[in-house]
Amino acid sequence: MHPQIFPTYQDLSSHVAQKVFFRIEQHLRDKNHMVLGLATGKTPIGLYAHLLALFETRPDLNLSGLVAFNLDEYYPIPPTAPHSYHSEMQRMFFGPLQEINPSFRAEQQTHIPHGDTPDIKKECRRYEEAIHRHGSIDLQILGIGTNGHIGFNEPGSDDTTRTRLVDLAPETIQINADKFFHGDTNQVPRQAISMGVGTILEATEIFLLASGSSKRAILQDLRERNEPTPHNPASYLLRHPHVRWFVDDEAWGEYKERK
Ligand code: F6R
């Protein structure tokens, strides 16, 4: 594990945005198609803001071939609920992107599991099939939970897991309550539909972002680990041939010159 370490969250976000933007341009130019895997949570907020600024500089880009799949959605939750990941992505990225560049049509080109599905098994199958219909995810953006979760693959999830209904770990419920629900755990859904670790590992390239001192202990665990373990689901990424780790100084605990 050789992360790129940045002095601040802003530096990390702007650097990763440039890399993601470059990949999008490149894929659209070469094959008129780019499948992006996206995450929610606090960490990618800066990335999305910087990406929007980059899209503003290139109104000529035809984004009709850009397709996005989000990692997860709470369950049960209607897409229109203010705290759904549908609403969050629409507010934070998809809506503004469509305004900047109308060749991007969020409704047709973005995918997030339906947290109000009446048939979970069918919805999970539909989601996996939709990804496969687009080939595979070219670039997956990930955050990491303090317990090592990626997507909502909580400890205990191994690399055979696919899109499915998962129970959120108690600490995930508490952390998300503090971050997004004014500390009220009763408002946080107890379950989510999440891509599996196996689904995530099929992405051609993966960028994992970690910011802040709360991520230090789980990154330390990854630094010391050679073999993947379901106790820290992010450890399966150590086997992926094209994963890049982007961390800030607070998350890593020391600053090294950028490579
Ligand atoms: C979000 C997701 C989660 C978050 C993780 C970190 O779609 O899948 O794995 O990436 O919980 O969250 P933040 O960024 O809020 O620290």
Side-chain angles (χ1 to χ4, degrees):
M1 186 192 180
H2 298 290
Q4 229 172 317
I5 307 163
F6 298 89
T8 69
Y9 171 68
Q10 282 307 330
D11 292 321
L12 178 153
S13 302
S14 119
H15 181 89
V16 177
Q18 285 170 42
K19 283 218 147 28
V20 173
F21 190 73
F22 179 74
R23 296 287 194 285
I24 294 172
E25 271 186 314
Q26 194 180 34
H27 278 80
L28 291 178
R29 193 175 53 234
D30 294 351
K31 50 176 193 158
N32 198 26
H33 194 233
M34 166 81 183
V35 186
L36 257 186
L38 297 177
T40 45
K42 289 258 171 188
T43 310
I45 291 176
L47 162 65
Y48 294 136
H50 283 281
L51 263 181
L52 289 172
L54 290 168
F55 278 114
E56 263 177 349
T57 66
R58 289 292 310 277
D60 58 302
L61 270 184
N62 177 357
L63 299 181
S64 58
L66 179 64
V67 176
F69 282 90
N70 265 75
L71 284 164
D72 42 26
E73 175 60 285
Y74 286 125
Y75 177 86
I77 200 164
T80 50
H83 288 298
S84 75
Y85 285 166
H86 273 86
S87 300
E88 196 175 317
M89 287 307 296
Q90 192 60 30
R91 260 192 317 267
M92 179 167 59
F93 190 52
F94 297 150
L97 179 55
Q98 185 165 333
E99 263 180 38
I100 291 168
N101 189 328
S103 68
F104 179 73
R105 289 164 307 148
E107 193 149 334
Q108 286 87 349
Q109 293 168 232
T110 67
H111 305 263
I112 303 182
H114 295 154
D116 59 351
T117 179
D119 187 337
I120 290 172
K121 281 218 164 103
K122 199 166 151 197
E123 172 59 9
C124 295
R125 216 171 30 240
R126 182 194 70 78
Y127 206 65
E128 288 273 334
E129 284 169 4
I131 297 172
H132 287 131
R133 254 202 316 282
H134 284 280
S136 60
I137 291 174
D138 293 305
L139 172 61
Q140 175 68 56
I141 307 297
L142 293 178
I144 181 171
T146 53
N147 61 4
H149 74 210
I150 47 174
F152 275 132
N153 294 288
E154 302 285 21
S157 308
D158 68 19
D159 56 350
T160 64
T161 52
R162 313 296 312 184
T163 302
R164 69 206 185 289
L165 184 68
V166 293
D167 293 329
L168 301 188
E171 62 188 288
T172 301
I173 293 170
Q174 184 61 57
I175 289 169
N176 284 7
D178 293 342
K179 280 187 195 162
F180 302 109
F181 295 84
H182 306 292
D184 183 358
T185 51
N186 293 323
Q187 284 192 51
V188 186
R190 284 348 196 206
Q191 292 182 302
I193 296 176
S194 176
M195 280 186 202
V197 176
T199 321
I200 292 169
L201 290 175
E202 281 172 4
T204 308
E205 192 175 19
I206 298 176
F207 287 178
L208 184 140
L209 285 59
S211 165
S213 56
S214 67
K215 305 292 167 73
R216 214 177 271 178
I218 199 69
L219 290 176
Q220 185 65 37
D221 181 87
L222 288 166
R223 284 161 89 159
E224 288 165 5
R225 217 169 258 296
N226 295 317
E227 284 303 310
T229 165
H231 299 304
N232 179 351
S235 62
Y236 288 100
L237 299 172
L238 298 169
R239 274 197 200 144
H240 192 284
H242 301 293
V243 60
R244 302 183 69 153
W245 308 79
F246 300 96
V247 304
D248 66 13
D249 188 29
E250 276 194 27
W252 196 248
E254 63 191 285
Y255 174 64
K256 287 195 196 121
E257 275 308 309
R258 263 187 247 179
K259 283 176 206 137

mmCIF file of all heavy atoms in Angstrom, residues 74 146-147 149 152 154-155 166-178 183-186 188-191:
data_model
loop_
_atom_site.group_PDB
_atom_site.id
_atom_site.type_symbol
_atom_site.label_atom_id
_atom_site.label_comp_id
_atom_site.label_asym_id
_atom_site.label_seq_id
_atom_site.Cartn_x
_atom_site.Cartn_y
_atom_site.Cartn_z
ATOM 1 N N TYR A 74 -29.546 3.782 1.210
ATOM 2 C CA TYR A 74 -30.203 3.296 2.422
ATOM 3 C C TYR A 74 -31.453 2.503 2.056
ATOM 4 O O TYR A 74 -32.023 2.658 0.988
ATOM 5 C CB TYR A 74 -30.660 4.484 3.274
ATOM 6 C CG TYR A 74 -29.562 5.208 3.996
ATOM 7 C CD1 TYR A 74 -29.396 6.578 3.819
ATOM 8 C CD2 TYR A 74 -28.716 4.550 4.877
ATOM 9 C CE1 TYR A 74 -28.408 7.269 4.507
ATOM 10 C CE2 TYR A 74 -27.730 5.240 5.560
ATOM 11 C CZ TYR A 74 -27.583 6.585 5.366
ATOM 12 O OH TYR A 74 -26.611 7.271 6.041
ATOM 13 N N THR A 146 -14.650 3.897 9.255
ATOM 14 C CA THR A 146 -13.652 3.736 10.318
ATOM 15 C C THR A 146 -13.482 2.254 10.673
ATOM 16 O O THR A 146 -12.491 1.864 11.269
ATOM 17 C CB THR A 146 -14.065 4.510 11.587
ATOM 18 O OG1 THR A 146 -15.403 4.109 11.927
ATOM 19 C CG2 THR A 146 -14.047 6.012 11.355
ATOM 20 N N ASN A 147 -14.456 1.436 10.291
ATOM 21 C CA ASN A 147 -14.355 -0.010 10.552
ATOM 22 C C ASN A 147 -13.906 -0.777 9.306
ATOM 23 O O ASN A 147 -13.968 -1.998 9.269
ATOM 24 C CB ASN A 147 -15.699 -0.561 11.052
ATOM 25 C CG ASN A 147 -16.812 -0.375 10.022
ATOM 26 O OD1 ASN A 147 -16.570 0.097 8.913
ATOM 27 N ND2 ASN A 147 -18.030 -0.756 10.390
ATOM 28 N N HIS A 149 -15.277 -0.511 6.260
ATOM 29 C CA HIS A 149 -16.277 -0.808 5.228
ATOM 30 C C HIS A 149 -16.000 -0.017 3.955
ATOM 31 O O HIS A 149 -15.491 1.106 3.996
ATOM 32 C CB HIS A 149 -17.716 -0.636 5.741
ATOM 33 C CG HIS A 149 -18.192 0.767 5.920
ATOM 34 N ND1 HIS A 149 -19.124 1.115 6.875
ATOM 35 C CD2 HIS A 149 -17.915 1.922 5.270
ATOM 36 C CE1 HIS A 149 -19.382 2.408 6.793
ATOM 37 N NE2 HIS A 149 -18.668 2.925 5.824
ATOM 38 N N PHE A 152 -21.341 -0.249 1.682
ATOM 39 C CA PHE A 152 -21.787 -0.584 3.041
ATOM 40 C C PHE A 152 -21.472 -2.050 3.332
ATOM 41 O O PHE A 152 -22.246 -2.752 3.981
ATOM 42 C CB PHE A 152 -23.261 -0.266 3.240
ATOM 43 C CG PHE A 152 -23.509 1.166 3.630
ATOM 44 C CD1 PHE A 152 -24.463 1.924 2.987
ATOM 45 C CD2 PHE A 152 -22.780 1.760 4.662
ATOM 46 C CE1 PHE A 152 -24.695 3.248 3.358
ATOM 47 C CE2 PHE A 152 -22.996 3.085 5.033
ATOM 48 C CZ PHE A 152 -23.961 3.820 4.376
ATOM 49 N N GLU A 154 -19.936 -4.073 5.543
ATOM 50 C CA GLU A 154 -19.439 -3.966 6.910
ATOM 51 C C GLU A 154 -18.523 -5.161 7.222
ATOM 52 O O GLU A 154 -18.501 -6.140 6.473
ATOM 53 C CB GLU A 154 -20.630 -3.953 7.885
ATOM 54 C CG GLU A 154 -21.631 -2.827 7.652
ATOM 55 C CD GLU A 154 -21.123 -1.444 8.123
ATOM 56 O OE1 GLU A 154 -19.899 -1.248 8.260
ATOM 57 O OE2 GLU A 154 -21.981 -0.563 8.343
ATOM 58 N N PRO A 155 -17.737 -5.072 8.319
ATOM 59 C CA PRO A 155 -16.878 -6.196 8.688
ATOM 60 C C PRO A 155 -17.664 -7.507 8.673
ATOM 61 O O PRO A 155 -18.808 -7.571 9.132
ATOM 62 C CB PRO A 155 -16.419 -5.823 10.100
ATOM 63 C CG PRO A 155 -16.390 -4.318 10.063
ATOM 64 C CD PRO A 155 -17.579 -3.925 9.222
ATOM 65 N N VAL A 166 -27.901 -5.141 3.272
ATOM 66 C CA VAL A 166 -26.962 -5.334 4.384
ATOM 67 C C VAL A 166 -27.475 -4.607 5.626
ATOM 68 O O VAL A 166 -28.200 -3.623 5.522
ATOM 69 C CB VAL A 166 -25.553 -4.785 4.036
ATOM 70 C CG1 VAL A 166 -24.903 -5.582 2.931
ATOM 71 C CG2 VAL A 166 -25.616 -3.314 3.640
ATOM 72 N N ASP A 167 -27.078 -5.120 6.787
ATOM 73 C CA ASP A 167 -27.359 -4.432 8.049
ATOM 74 C C ASP A 167 -26.208 -3.479 8.323
ATOM 75 O O ASP A 167 -25.037 -3.876 8.226
ATOM 76 C CB ASP A 167 -27.424 -5.444 9.205
ATOM 77 C CG ASP A 167 -28.626 -6.368 9.056
ATOM 78 O OD1 ASP A 167 -29.653 -5.917 8.502
ATOM 79 O OD2 ASP A 167 -28.518 -7.543 9.476
ATOM 80 N N LEU A 168 -26.525 -2.238 8.664
ATOM 81 C CA LEU A 168 -25.454 -1.305 9.012
ATOM 82 C C LEU A 168 -24.921 -1.645 10.398
ATOM 83 O O LEU A 168 -25.691 -1.994 11.296
ATOM 84 C CB LEU A 168 -25.966 0.138 9.002
ATOM 85 C CG LEU A 168 -26.559 0.640 7.682
ATOM 86 C CD1 LEU A 168 -26.845 2.131 7.770
ATOM 87 C CD2 LEU A 168 -25.632 0.359 6.519
ATOM 88 N N ALA A 169 -23.598 -1.546 10.552
ATOM 89 C CA ALA A 169 -22.987 -1.801 11.862
ATOM 90 C C ALA A 169 -23.398 -0.676 12.822
ATOM 91 O O ALA A 169 -23.583 0.462 12.380
ATOM 92 C CB ALA A 169 -21.464 -1.834 11.716
ATOM 93 N N PRO A 170 -23.524 -0.972 14.140
ATOM 94 C CA PRO A 170 -23.915 0.067 15.100
ATOM 95 C C PRO A 170 -23.036 1.324 14.987
ATOM 96 O O PRO A 170 -23.523 2.444 15.062
ATOM 97 C CB PRO A 170 -23.753 -0.615 16.455
ATOM 98 C CG PRO A 170 -23.880 -2.082 16.151
ATOM 99 C CD PRO A 170 -23.360 -2.284 14.756
ATOM 100 N N GLU A 171 -21.717 1.135 14.787
ATOM 101 C CA GLU A 171 -20.860 2.335 14.720
ATOM 102 C C GLU A 171 -21.129 3.148 13.457
ATOM 103 O O GLU A 171 -21.012 4.377 13.467
ATOM 104 C CB GLU A 171 -19.380 1.962 14.834
ATOM 105 C CG GLU A 171 -18.853 1.084 13.729
ATOM 106 C CD GLU A 171 -17.434 0.596 14.028
ATOM 107 O OE1 GLU A 171 -16.499 1.403 13.954
ATOM 108 O OE2 GLU A 171 -17.290 -0.598 14.334
ATOM 109 N N THR A 172 -21.518 2.479 12.368
ATOM 110 C CA THR A 172 -21.857 3.202 11.132
ATOM 111 C C THR A 172 -23.114 4.038 11.358
ATOM 112 O O THR A 172 -23.195 5.193 10.923
ATOM 113 C CB THR A 172 -22.086 2.197 9.974
ATOM 114 O OG1 THR A 172 -20.890 1.430 9.809
ATOM 115 C CG2 THR A 172 -22.431 2.897 8.681
ATOM 116 N N ILE A 173 -24.088 3.447 12.063
ATOM 117 C CA ILE A 173 -25.334 4.178 12.350
ATOM 118 C C ILE A 173 -25.010 5.416 13.190
ATOM 119 O O ILE A 173 -25.471 6.522 12.904
ATOM 120 C CB ILE A 173 -26.343 3.247 13.067
ATOM 121 C CG1 ILE A 173 -26.783 2.137 12.096
ATOM 122 C CG2 ILE A 173 -27.546 4.032 13.584
ATOM 123 C CD1 ILE A 173 -27.595 1.020 12.727
ATOM 124 N N GLN A 174 -24.161 5.238 14.213
ATOM 125 C CA GLN A 174 -23.814 6.375 15.092
ATOM 126 C C GLN A 174 -23.067 7.459 14.304
ATOM 127 O O GLN A 174 -23.388 8.650 14.395
ATOM 128 C CB GLN A 174 -22.947 5.869 16.254
ATOM 129 C CG GLN A 174 -22.610 6.933 17.280
ATOM 130 C CD GLN A 174 -23.860 7.506 17.958
ATOM 131 O OE1 GLN A 174 -24.638 6.764 18.547
ATOM 132 N NE2 GLN A 174 -24.082 8.820 17.861
ATOM 133 N N ILE A 175 -22.090 7.043 13.504
ATOM 134 C CA ILE A 175 -21.283 8.025 12.754
ATOM 135 C C ILE A 175 -22.155 8.775 11.754
ATOM 136 O O ILE A 175 -22.081 10.002 11.624
ATOM 137 C CB ILE A 175 -20.098 7.311 12.053
ATOM 138 C CG1 ILE A 175 -19.068 6.863 13.098
ATOM 139 C CG2 ILE A 175 -19.444 8.212 11.010
ATOM 140 C CD1 ILE A 175 -17.998 5.925 12.587
ATOM 141 N N ASN A 176 -23.020 8.039 11.047
ATOM 142 C CA ASN A 176 -23.869 8.709 10.056
ATOM 143 C C ASN A 176 -24.912 9.599 10.725
ATOM 144 O O ASN A 176 -25.283 10.640 10.182
ATOM 145 C CB ASN A 176 -24.521 7.693 9.108
ATOM 146 C CG ASN A 176 -23.509 7.180 8.083
ATOM 147 O OD1 ASN A 176 -22.332 7.492 8.177
ATOM 148 N ND2 ASN A 176 -23.966 6.418 7.119
ATOM 149 N N ALA A 177 -25.358 9.216 11.924
ATOM 150 C CA ALA A 177 -26.270 10.080 12.679
ATOM 151 C C ALA A 177 -25.567 11.393 13.011
ATOM 152 O O ALA A 177 -26.114 12.476 12.825
ATOM 153 C CB ALA A 177 -26.726 9.384 13.959
ATOM 154 N N ASP A 178 -24.315 11.298 13.483
ATOM 155 C CA ASP A 178 -23.563 12.508 13.846
ATOM 156 C C ASP A 178 -23.313 13.395 12.630
ATOM 157 O O ASP A 178 -23.411 14.615 12.706
ATOM 158 C CB ASP A 178 -22.213 12.135 14.488
ATOM 159 C CG ASP A 178 -22.419 11.448 15.834
ATOM 160 O OD1 ASP A 178 -23.528 11.575 16.397
ATOM 161 O OD2 ASP A 178 -21.491 10.759 16.301
ATOM 162 N N GLY A 183 -27.103 13.871 14.953
ATOM 163 C CA GLY A 183 -26.843 12.969 16.074
ATOM 164 C C GLY A 183 -27.991 12.047 16.437
ATOM 165 O O GLY A 183 -27.878 11.247 17.366
ATOM 166 N N ASP A 184 -29.097 12.146 15.710
ATOM 167 C CA ASP A 184 -30.280 11.355 16.063
ATOM 168 C C ASP A 184 -30.234 9.984 15.366
ATOM 169 O O ASP A 184 -30.620 9.839 14.211
ATOM 170 C CB ASP A 184 -31.532 12.129 15.644
ATOM 171 C CG ASP A 184 -32.806 11.402 16.051
ATOM 172 O OD1 ASP A 184 -32.703 10.295 16.618
ATOM 173 O OD2 ASP A 184 -33.897 11.945 15.790
ATOM 174 N N THR A 185 -29.790 8.965 16.121
ATOM 175 C CA THR A 185 -29.638 7.636 15.519
ATOM 176 C C THR A 185 -30.979 7.054 15.067
ATOM 177 O O THR A 185 -31.014 6.206 14.178
ATOM 178 C CB THR A 185 -28.972 6.640 16.495
ATOM 179 O OG1 THR A 185 -29.672 6.695 17.723
ATOM 180 C CG2 THR A 185 -27.510 6.961 16.717
ATOM 181 N N ASN A 186 -32.062 7.508 15.694
ATOM 182 C CA ASN A 186 -33.375 6.962 15.306
ATOM 183 C C ASN A 186 -33.747 7.296 13.874
ATOM 184 O O ASN A 186 -34.572 6.629 13.268
ATOM 185 C CB ASN A 186 -34.470 7.502 16.232
ATOM 186 C CG ASN A 186 -34.281 6.969 17.625
ATOM 187 O OD1 ASN A 186 -33.880 5.817 17.796
ATOM 188 N ND2 ASN A 186 -34.519 7.803 18.618
ATOM 189 N N VAL A 188 -31.582 7.318 11.354
ATOM 190 C CA VAL A 188 -30.721 6.647 10.374
ATOM 191 C C VAL A 188 -31.306 5.284 10.023
ATOM 192 O O VAL A 188 -31.575 4.485 10.921
ATOM 193 C CB VAL A 188 -29.285 6.435 10.938
ATOM 194 C CG1 VAL A 188 -28.361 5.868 9.868
ATOM 195 C CG2 VAL A 188 -28.731 7.730 11.488
ATOM 196 N N PRO A 189 -31.526 5.012 8.732
ATOM 197 C CA PRO A 189 -32.008 3.676 8.375
ATOM 198 C C PRO A 189 -31.031 2.608 8.870
ATOM 199 O O PRO A 189 -29.827 2.850 8.973
ATOM 200 C CB PRO A 189 -32.050 3.719 6.842
ATOM 201 C CG PRO A 189 -32.148 5.164 6.501
ATOM 202 C CD PRO A 189 -31.385 5.878 7.571
ATOM 203 N N ARG A 190 -31.552 1.452 9.214
ATOM 204 C CA ARG A 190 -30.721 0.374 9.774
ATOM 205 C C ARG A 190 -30.094 -0.506 8.700
ATOM 206 O O ARG A 190 -29.240 -1.330 8.976
ATOM 207 C CB ARG A 190 -31.570 -0.535 10.660
ATOM 208 C CG ARG A 190 -31.972 -0.055 12.052
ATOM 209 C CD ARG A 190 -31.277 1.126 12.493
ATOM 210 N NE ARG A 190 -31.351 1.398 13.921
ATOM 211 C CZ ARG A 190 -31.236 2.609 14.438
ATOM 212 N NH1 ARG A 190 -31.075 3.672 13.660
ATOM 213 N NH2 ARG A 190 -31.267 2.788 15.740
ATOM 214 N N GLN A 191 -30.602 -0.361 7.487
ATOM 215 C CA GLN A 191 -30.126 -1.238 6.416
ATOM 216 C C GLN A 191 -29.817 -0.424 5.165
ATOM 217 O O GLN A 191 -30.200 0.747 5.055
ATOM 218 C CB GLN A 191 -31.191 -2.284 6.096
ATOM 219 C CG GLN A 191 -31.388 -3.289 7.232
ATOM 220 C CD GLN A 191 -32.406 -4.332 6.866
ATOM 221 O OE1 GLN A 191 -33.554 -4.004 6.561
ATOM 222 N NE2 GLN A 191 -31.997 -5.589 6.888
#
